Amino acid sequence: MTSFLRPRPALTSLAWPLAALALLVLFNLLFTPGFFNIELRDARLFGTPIDILNHASKVAIVAVGMTLVIATGGVDLSVGAVVAIAGAIAAMLATRTQAPFPLVVLAALAAGGVAGLCNGVLVTRLRLQPIVATLVLMVAGRGVAQLITDGLIITFEHRELSSLANTSFALLPIPAWIAIALALATGLLTRRTAAGMFLEAVGDNDRACRYAGVNDRAIKLAAYAFCGGCAGLAGLVECSYIKAADANNAGLFLELDVILAVVIGGTSLSGGRFSISGSLAGAVLIQTLTKTMYMHDVSADVAPLPKAIAVLAVCVLQSPVVKDRVSAAFSRGRP
Amino acid sequence: MIRVARRYVPILTTLALVVATFVAGSLAYPNFASAGVVRNLLVDNAFLAVAAVGATFVILSGAIDLSVGSVMAFTSILIARLIEHHAVHPLAAIALSLLAGAVFGLAQGLIIDLFKLPPFLVTLAGMFFARGAAFLIHPQSIGIKHPFVANVLNDQLSLRLPFGERGVSIPITVDIAIVTIALAAVVLRSTRFGRSVHAVGDDESSALLMGLNIRATRLGVFTLSGLCSALAGIVFTLYQQSGDPAACKGFELDAIAAVVIGGTLLRGGIGSVLGTALGVLLLGLIQTIITFQGDLSSWWTRIAVGLLVLAFVALQGQLSKRDE
């Protein structure tokens, strides 16, 4: 057994996405003219890297919540639909009522939390597989969002709501700060308390957890509710960014990018191991990859193809089969 | 005997719901119970039926395939491009796209099996891949004007039934769907492969101990799913008379919903193709009623489908809990 000689899991999980990111940055340095041009206008930075950060933050915000759900051995397919619901509620409150801004924020977060709670109840009480339980909301959620907006795209001129995603603080766009703050807070909450250990234990073996006196259901429920809340926050950012709520397209296929970001970041899909910093790196990696392809005239429609190949390659390299082969090849030379 | 009866509770529920929905529709709207409505119900859902047959095999084996809709779009644009831009005969184009679908499914199965990756992750990547590939073939939709498709496939080969004043014509797409369902039912019930699919989905380790070839079964299931997706894409192309790389987004969810509503257990092992066919009919009937009602938006369909899936999954959960 040489397991104690291996680097800490957090480091190995960050190594892959960071190495891939470094490769991408190097590629852009050599072959993409103007990729690193950043200019300062009105105390706000403009340029491709800032653009990437702005868009990656939406994925990153949801990825933080998704990381915890996947850590418990589950998955949440409904985040895209929840983004649409939260955006619809925020836009309706901002246009149809005189609700103060904090209430709008709170309502969007609460809507996400309630949606996540529903998923959690289906998983823990009805004992549905997570893919199935969250599939229900994924199918029905977009319908609910359209029910709220009455099938219309709700545009708004709300000052605070539209400035949320369109202003900068200390040079970085606000969504990036939200993502960083959320990740830091979640990291502290899980790694400096026993919560992270419980999450990993439940993901590793929920039955053993129950026998050991850990309330595995409550932990799963909390993870799904938290993930829903994160999706609500992302919904707020998304509708603020485009100054409208579009129930059809808000957060469409977001769940794919988010799950891929989490998996690339080294969180095990079978549960029991997670890395929030890895998920952040994964989100930035995916957005950089997307942006690089756009700048090389790959159309937005074709972009999924190389993305799929890249993601599959990372997953194959991280798969236990390949890892065992590699470590076997390394240990063969030793006595 | 009670055990057997319990097995059939979901499928009997679906049957009862199909009948009840149809009766309710007939009572609520004049002209609902007509040959034309039934014909449209079959025609509009033929490609869903074919896709759902493939999904039935995958789900029965305890896996999931999320690439269905993208593979359908890929097939449809591939056929259209081959016929219209490269002057390939429609039959050759159809054969080629079937082959492409099967190879794609096999590749997904191989990656899942060789690297022990979860099916939902690999087919999620497959969904991206096929969608991007579809747009790579041609970025816009292409109308198919080849005379063979319009005259022979869609006109001469359709069945004319003596209902109503002018008769009802059943197009070839419905025949394809019905033949697919019948073939799949026979394969699942009476072949070694079909029984292996059930066994692997029920309990993989027991299947292994019984000496079943799990790898071959899994590869077979995913190849078959790719083949069915391609066939569904062909039916869709004949139905639309055009190829569209943006078509069928999220269609895999409809297919999975039809399978679940048809009484197939999502953790695998128990289910039937006939149930799936009933599930497709129920989804189609709900859509028809919402169209007849007129003042309901189409998103009510999504909510209704979501609730139905939830109800069936809950029902199955209760049934299997009592089994334990």
Side-chain angles (χ1 to χ4, degrees):
Chain A
M1 287 296 284
T2 54
S3 60
F4 63 93
L5 287 177
R6 287 190 199 143
R8 280 176 54 217
L11 286 179
T12 47
S13 63
L14 258 183
W16 278 111
L18 286 184
L21 194 60
L23 269 179
L24 257 180
V25 168
L26 188 68
F27 173 84
N28 282 313
L29 206 59
L30 296 176
F31 300 110
T32 318
F35 191 86
F36 291 97
N37 287 355
I38 298 181
E39 52 177 312
L40 189 64
R41 260 186 281 156
D42 310 328
R44 196 178 162 188
L45 289 176
F46 286 89
T48 310
I50 304 297
D51 224 31
I52 291 175
L53 274 188
N54 214 345
H55 283 281
S57 1
K58 200 176 58 193
V59 175
I61 289 169
V62 186
V64 170
M66 183 74 81
T67 307
L68 301 193
V69 167
I70 293 183
T72 68
V75 73
D76 187 350
L77 295 179
S78 70
V79 286
V82 175
V83 162
I85 295 178
I89 287 181
M92 288 307 273
L93 279 180
T95 52
R96 303 284 194 273
T97 68
Q98 299 293 317
F101 182 57
L103 189 68
V104 175
V105 174
L106 211 64
L109 292 183
V114 168
L117 215 54
C118 291
N119 286 331
V121 167
L122 291 185
V123 171
T124 55
R125 293 291 150 184
L126 285 178
R127 291 195 289 155
L128 302 183
Q129 301 127 289
I131 296 182
V132 182
T134 56
L135 190 73
V136 174
L137 194 56
M138 183 186 182
V139 174
R142 223 162 262 289
V144 173
Q146 269 160 335
L147 196 69
I148 296 169
T149 62
D150 209 14
L152 302 169
I153 295 177
I154 309 290
T155 55
F156 52 82
E157 291 292 332
H158 197 277
R159 191 173 51 81
E160 286 134 318
L161 185 54
S162 47
S163 66
L164 177 71
N166 291 302
T167 45
S168 293
F169 172 74
L171 300 179
L172 283 184
I174 298 276
W177 284 115
I178 295 179
I180 293 168
L182 180 71
L184 270 179
T186 313
L188 284 178
L189 206 70
T190 50
R191 291 307 185 195
R192 293 281 171 244
T193 69
M197 193 187 69
F198 284 149
L199 280 165
E200 292 189 330
V202 167
D204 212 20
N205 189 339
D206 51 357
R207 187 164 291 184
C209 259
R210 204 174 313 140
Y211 293 156
V214 176
N215 190 346
D216 63 319
R217 284 178 173 181
I219 287 168
K220 282 186 185 170
L221 202 61
Y224 281 97
F226 180 71
C227 184
C230 289
L233 188 58
L236 203 63
V237 170
E238 163 109 7
C239 88
S240 160
Y241 192 71
I242 59 171
K243 296 177 185 159
D246 181 353
N248 260 329
N249 295 311
L252 195 63
F253 296 127
L254 182 67
E255 54 278 349
L256 306 183
D257 274 0
V258 170
I259 292 171
L260 297 177
V262 174
V263 172
I264 288 175
T267 296
S268 160
L269 259 180
S270 50
R273 184 162 57 87
F274 74 94
S275 158
I276 290 175
S277 49
S279 299
L280 279 194
V284 176
L285 174 63
I286 284 198
Q287 197 53 47
T288 312
L289 184 66
T290 312
K291 194 75 188 177
T292 306
M293 287 189 294
Y294 289 171
M295 293 188 82
H296 282 268
D297 286 334
V298 179
S299 82
D301 293 323
V302 179
L305 195 150
K307 215 168 169 179
I309 296 176
V311 164
L312 217 49
V314 174
C315 291
V316 164
L317 284 175
Q318 286 188 345
S319 73
V321 178
V322 172
K323 271 190 181 164
D324 289 351
R325 288 266 168 82
V326 172
S327 58
F330 272 116
S331 60
R332 204 170 290 150
R334 295 182 197 149
Chain B
M1 282 310 284
I2 294 163
R3 213 181 161 74
V4 173
R6 190 176 294 161
R7 256 185 88 129
Y8 291 112
V9 168
I11 191 171
L12 289 176
T13 314
T14 316
L15 183 62
L17 275 176
V18 168
V19 173
T21 314
F22 189 77
V23 169
S26 314
L27 293 177
Y29 313 102
N31 305 330
F32 190 91
S34 69
V37 170
V38 175
R39 173 198 178 269
N40 285 346
L41 182 66
L42 297 179
V43 173
D44 295 341
N45 293 290
F47 53 97
L48 175 58
V50 176
V53 165
T56 310
F57 276 85
V58 177
I59 291 175
L60 262 179
S61 79
I64 202 146
D65 186 352
L66 298 177
S67 69
V68 175
S70 298
V71 174
M72 286 171 69
F74 174 82
T75 314
S76 94
I77 193 67
L78 178 67
I79 293 176
R81 181 86 202 257
L82 284 176
I83 294 176
E84 291 298 314
H85 293 184
H86 298 280
V88 176
H89 191 270
L91 286 182
I94 285 173
L96 205 64
S97 63
L98 280 177
L99 184 69
V103 169
F104 183 80
L106 179 64
Q108 291 194 133
L110 275 174
I111 294 172
I112 290 166
D113 194 74
L114 287 180
F115 298 106
K116 306 259 177 296
L117 290 171
F120 105 89
L121 182 71
V122 174
T123 56
L124 197 66
M127 170 190 192
F128 271 121
F129 186 93
R131 183 65 67 182
F135 277 101
L136 201 59
I137 291 177
H138 199 76
Q140 283 101 30
S141 70
I142 306 173
I144 300 177
K145 297 175 190 71
H146 196 284
F148 182 82
V149 175
N151 297 343
V152 180
L153 289 183
N154 275 350
D155 196 38
Q156 291 174 17
L157 284 178
S158 60
L159 243 95
R160 277 175 220 292
L161 301 178
F163 286 118
E165 286 164 24
R166 279 166 291 155
V168 172
S169 78
I170 300 290
I172 187 171
T173 51
V174 175
D175 302 336
I176 294 177
I178 291 172
V179 169
T180 309
I181 290 168
L183 269 180
V186 172
V187 167
L188 264 186
R189 276 188 165 270
S190 336
T191 65
R192 180 180 296 196
F193 173 69
R195 301 202 160 271
S196 302
V197 171
H198 279 102
V200 169
D202 200 31
D203 190 338
E204 198 177 310
S205 3
S206 322
L208 189 69
L209 291 175
M210 281 160 66
L212 293 176
N213 190 340
I214 292 186
R215 169 169 289 179
T217 308
R218 181 159 298 143
L219 292 183
V221 161
F222 277 96
T223 311
L224 198 68
S225 176
L227 194 67
C228 279
S229 303
L231 189 59
I234 292 166
V235 170
F236 177 77
T237 313
L238 292 176
Y239 171 74
Q240 298 266 321
Q241 296 228 16
S242 69
D244 183 4
C248 304
K249 275 193 179 150
F251 199 72
E252 49 281 340
L253 299 179
D254 290 310
I256 294 170
V259 173
V260 174
I261 293 171
T264 297
L265 220 55
L266 258 163
R267 58 169 171 78
I270 298 174
S272 68
V273 174
L274 288 181
T276 299
L278 287 174
V280 171
L281 278 184
L282 188 54
L283 289 185
L285 274 171
I286 291 172
Q287 182 75 60
T288 311
I289 284 192
I290 284 171
T291 314
F292 259 81
Q293 180 63 27
D295 57 350
L296 287 176
S297 309
S298 60
W299 32 260
W300 273 107
T301 321
R302 314 298 304 165
I303 297 178
V305 169
L307 290 178
L308 257 182
V309 169
L310 182 61
F312 269 85
V313 170
L315 174 73
Q316 289 172 352
Q318 290 305 314
L319 289 175
S320 60
K321 205 184 273 180
R322 266 186 277 159
D323 271 352
E324 277 167 13

